[in-house]
Amino acid sequence: MPMRTRAAAFAALTVAALAAATAFTAPAGAAPRNAAEPAFLDASELPPHPSSAWTAGPVSDGFPAELAHCLGEGVPAYDYRHRVFRTELDTGAVQVTVVTGSPAKGEALAARLNEEIRTCADRIEESDPEIRAEGRSYGSLPVEEGAQVHGLHTTTSWGATDIHLLSVGRDGRTVTVVGWGQMGDFDDAPVAAFRQTTTTAVDKLH
């Protein structure tokens, strides 16, 4: 997600998340790395941008800073991988995946991530009195073991306004989070297209 307008707004959360990221190593019971890594989204599978093409970065190790505004200190330590997507304008996206040690661990992680996203707006407002935040639920998706779609809108005292869509999906022991963001409000969010992107992301995991 683009960081230009939200860098100051989420500074405290980002610093905490990046500090915590140094401890994001695989815990006992995590699945070992192997050749059958989960597949990631392609740029063409993101919600279409009306005037700019998406480009996809490489798949990289670690938890992405782009999700720090909601998934910072509350993210359990696992062997995460991620891919960042960008447009030429102020719209960006990110996907993170993790293979846990069992379907039960995957279910627990997905539940924890959904709870972190559901409480994100309150935590943002508590961390900075100059930010107003509102979260919304866009329901569940019947893909593999299921996915949940969320929205988050933030406004600042200096006039910045940003809209984010986030989803958590699971296929057995594998969990993925997809995030999308740009300047705007809930009316600017491509919810239907993002739900399809989430379905594709979960379908592609294995």
Side-chain angles (χ1 to χ4, degrees), residues 8-9 12 121-133 155-158:
D122 289 342
R123 288 183 285 112
I124 287 174
E125 290 190 347
E126 289 170 1
S127 72
D128 192 331
E130 296 194 41
I131 302 174
R132 299 274 75 82
T155 57
T156 69
S157 61
W158 58 90

Side-chain angles (χ1 to χ4, degrees), residues 38-149:
F40 278 76
L41 289 165
D42 296 322
S44 63
E45 294 166 327
L46 294 169
H49 192 279
S51 60
S52 179
W54 286 100
T55 58
V59 175
S60 303
D61 292 336
F63 196 86
E66 286 80 4
L67 293 176
H69 58 287
C70 277
L71 301 174
E73 293 177 313
V75 177
Y78 270 109
D79 194 7
Y80 297 96
R81 303 176 78 219
H82 69 276
R83 173 177 250 179
V84 175
F85 305 85
R86 303 191 186 283
T87 67
E88 295 178 356
L89 301 176
D90 195 27
T91 304
V94 63
Q95 182 185 10
V96 59
T97 68
V98 58
V99 181
T100 67
S102 68
K105 289 180 182 293
E107 182 178 11
L109 177 60
R112 175 67 177 273
L113 294 171
N114 276 308
E115 181 62 20
E116 290 293 315
I117 295 172
R118 279 193 291 267
T119 60
C120 181
D122 289 342
R123 288 183 285 112
I124 287 174
E125 290 190 347
E126 289 170 1
S127 72
D128 192 331
E130 296 194 41
I131 302 174
R132 299 274 75 82
E134 178 187 354
R136 289 186 183 178
S137 172
Y138 289 113
S140 60
L141 297 172
V143 54
E144 299 299 342
E145 275 68 60
Q148 295 287 326
V149 181

